[in-house]
């Protein structure tokens, strides 16, 4: 797949931006770089402050993807924004739990609950 | 009892890493390993092989990664060896320590250990052994 291909579907719900991963696997370094750049652009160029990341398509992710998510979370925080994750299947939630990143990220079961009170 | 064995040397390229992972995962699926075991094996292989290419060989196109694999209905055993200087896994800080939780790196080895039965770095630390013994209750 081309490195420049879109990796996220972006949708607005009021003042919240919902970014849904298109890929089933967020593993390969080039893809992760493209995803990271697209996500950082939401904060740094578009000035969006409330972002929901929807993982419902994602079946695999690697530690490199976790690293990008942490960097994104740090960027959102320094821009005084908020990030929520949703739609994470149990296998992947376990990856967050093992690494204790379930304590770093605000994780909701689904999109509706992620939008509620955001 | 069928045992699948192969020994392959791949270039330090991420596409080659993905192809060999797919080959090993296909053997697990053929032997009826559970979806959870397949998930853990894919994750561990990704971390081990990408570490070998990126941190071991530093993406040097002149260096290769050797992968030896054995899959039978009861276990999977994989050796991943790069041509880098090696490292001591004890030197990797605990990524779950409060001061490291918001740092982007350092989680690969922890994930391998969580999903595998055994993870061992041998020699000068440029070779990792991964073993997953099948859990009969999961299949």
């Amino acid at each position: 797949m081309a490195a420049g291909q879109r990796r996220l579907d972006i949708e607005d719900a009021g003042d919240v931006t919902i970014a849904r991963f298109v890929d089933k696997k967020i593993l390969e370094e080039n893809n992760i770089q493209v995803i990271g750049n697209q996500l950082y652009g939401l904060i740094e160029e578009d000035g969006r402050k409330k972002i929901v990341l929807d993982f419902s398509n994602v079946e695999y992710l690697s530690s490199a993807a976790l690293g990008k998510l942490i960097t994104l979370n740090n960027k959102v925080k320094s821009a005084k924004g908020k990030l929520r994750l949703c739609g994470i299947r149990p296998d992947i939630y376990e990856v967050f739990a093992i690494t204790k990143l379930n304590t770093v990220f605000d994780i909701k079961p689904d999109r509706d609950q992620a939008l509620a009170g955001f | 009892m069928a045992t699948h064995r192969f020994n392959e040397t791949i270039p330090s390229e991420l596409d080659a890493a993905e192809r060999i992972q797919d080959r090993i995962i296909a053997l697990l699926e053929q032997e009826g390993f559970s979806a959870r075991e397949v998930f853990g094996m894919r994750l561990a292989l990704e971390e081990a092989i990408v570490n070998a290419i990126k941190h071991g060989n530093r993406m040097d196109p002149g260096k290769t990664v050797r992968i030896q694999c054995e899959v039978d209905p009861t276990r999977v055993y994989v050796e991943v060896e790069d041509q880098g200087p090696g490292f001591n896994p004890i030197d990797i800080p605990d990524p779950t320590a409060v001061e490291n939780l918001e740092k982007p790196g350092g989680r690969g080895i922890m994930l391998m250990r969580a999903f595998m039965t055994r993870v061992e770095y041998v020699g000068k630390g440029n070779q990792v052994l991964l073993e997953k013994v099948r859990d009969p209750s999961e299949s």
Side-chain angles (χ1 to χ4, degrees), chain A residues 14-109:
Chain A
D15 63 344
V16 181
T17 299
I18 304 167
R20 187 169 56 105
F21 291 100
V22 174
D23 297 297
K24 284 185 176 177
K25 298 181 198 169
I26 316 180
L27 292 173
E28 208 260 314
E29 193 70 11
N30 293 337
N31 296 356
I32 291 170
Q33 195 60 42
V34 172
I35 289 170
N37 290 342
Q38 203 180 342
L39 287 173
Y40 301 161
L42 292 175
I43 308 289
E44 290 168 349
E45 289 157 33
D46 304 347
R48 306 194 203 206
K49 300 275 191 206
K50 293 182 183 177
I51 297 177
V52 170
L53 283 184
D54 183 341
F55 282 74
S56 49
N57 286 335
V58 180
E59 295 175 5
Y60 287 102
L61 52 68
S62 65
S63 66
L66 294 176
K68 279 281 181 271
L69 291 173
I70 291 166
T71 305
L72 175 74
N73 197 40
N74 292 340
K75 281 181 195 280
V76 170
K77 280 200 288 187
S78 49
K80 306 257 185 286
K82 285 200 278 187
L83 178 70
R84 278 184 178 173
L85 315 186
C86 72
I88 298 177
R89 61 189 68 203
D91 281 341
I92 293 184
Y93 187 81
E94 194 178 349
V95 170
F96 281 85
I98 290 164
T99 54
K100 295 192 181 169
L101 290 177
N102 56 337
T103 65
V104 171
F105 291 106
D106 185 2
I107 300 177
K108 303 290 180 192

